[in-house]
Structures are given as C-alpha cells and as structure tokens.
Amino acid sequence: MSRRITLRGANALYTERRAKDMPDDDREIVMEGENVRYREFAGAEAAKGKAATGIAVPDMLATAVAQNYWQRLRDAGFVDENCMLLQTTTRQQTWYIAELFAEKLQLVGVKWKPFQDLWNIRNLAQEKKHAQDTGVLPTRHKDIDAVFQD
C-alpha cells in the first residue's frame, strides 16, 4: 500500500517536498477543516525552500529580505508564524500586501502567482482592479504601507 492523503475543506492546501530517493511510507493521512494545511519535507528536499522560521514558502518569498517583511506582517497581525493569512486579513488587504511585497522584492512577471499559491487564493489582480475602479483602498492600508516602508 502506498501513502494515501485526503484533505477536505474549502481552503485545503497540500505541500510536499521529498527527495527522489525517499521511499513512500504506508501512512494514511486524513485532514478535515476549513483551512487545512499539510506540509511535509523529507530528505534533501527538506532544506530547499524552507525559510528561517521553518515554513515552506516559494523560494522567491524565502529570501533574507523577505523574512524581514514576513516578520513585520506577523507583528502587524496580517499573517501567522507560518506566513499564512489570518482569518481577520481580508481579500482586499491580501492583494495590497501582495502588491507591495512584490514591488519590494522586485518580482517581475510573477507578481501574484507566488502569493496565490502560498495562500491558496485566486484572482488577486481582480481585487486590485476592483479597488482601482471604486477608488477605495483596503482597511488598514496605512498599516500595510508601514510594513513595507524602509
């Protein structure tokens, strides 16, 4: 029997990094809930893509510069210790955070994707467009601006 993983929930996310030579174990993993997150790192792949805090984020969001911004976002109450959005962080705040973060990291051509993949959220560009159309910035936008000020 090979490993079987089942995640159920509106925002379920599965992330695994395993070395090619890591054998499958015969575990069965079942997780249920609204924001279920399962992350596993094994073998040589365990160190790849892990930030200083032990979280798994895309490499471009795990740089030393990025770690400073992650800590500021934690301190301001937008993300948790795993860089996942808190339930109190709105979609409008999310696009704004991703926009400013991408600017600071000079992410070209992939502004939304790393954040959308990490947070399992889609259509951040549309959220930005809606804000532009209405002329309304997200609540706490000044707090977010402060996070990304140098």
Side-chain angles (χ1 to χ4, degrees), residues 2-93:
S2 63
R3 181 169 28 173
R4 183 174 163 201
I5 301 170
T6 306
L7 291 101
R8 293 185 188 99
N11 297 308
L13 176 66
Y14 173 80
T15 304
E16 179 176 351
R17 290 195 177 141
R18 298 172 68 83
K20 291 178 183 175
D21 61 346
M22 282 298 296
D24 234 358
D25 50 23
D26 291 330
R27 290 186 289 166
E28 180 174 357
I29 301 166
V30 178
M31 300 176 74
E32 298 179 3
E34 281 301 304
N35 294 300
V36 171
R37 300 287 188 263
Y38 179 83
R39 297 175 192 268
E40 179 176 328
F41 304 92
E45 292 297 304
K48 184 178 178 183
K50 288 181 86 175
T53 57
I55 59 163
V57 296
D59 290 343
M60 64 184 60
L61 301 180
T63 65
V65 171
Q67 288 307 308
N68 181 48
Y69 295 120
W70 285 122
Q71 186 58 53
R72 291 180 185 183
L73 286 167
R74 278 191 283 283
D75 293 344
F78 291 104
V79 300
D80 66 15
E81 67 279 355
N82 295 315
C83 300
M84 300 306 294
L85 298 170
L86 296 177
Q87 287 186 331
T88 55
T89 305
T90 67
R91 284 185 62 85
Q92 293 76 31
Q93 291 167 342

Side-chain angles (χ1 to χ4, degrees), residues 61 65-66 69-70 72-73 78 92-107 111-112 115 119 124 128 137-150:
L61 301 180
V65 171
Y69 295 120
W70 285 122
R72 291 180 185 183
L73 286 167
F78 291 104
Q92 293 76 31
Q93 291 167 342
T94 300
W95 80 258
Y96 198 66
I97 290 167
E99 171 95 353
L100 296 179
F101 213 150
E103 287 176 9
K104 286 296 185 178
L105 297 180
Q106 300 176 347
L107 302 181
K111 175 171 35 177
W112 306 113
F115 298 100
W119 293 327
L124 291 178
K128 177 183 178 180
L137 287 173
T139 58
R140 297 190 61 204
H141 66 91
K142 290 181 181 178
D143 294 336
I144 298 168
D145 288 338
V147 164
F148 293 100
Q149 285 181 343
D150 291 324

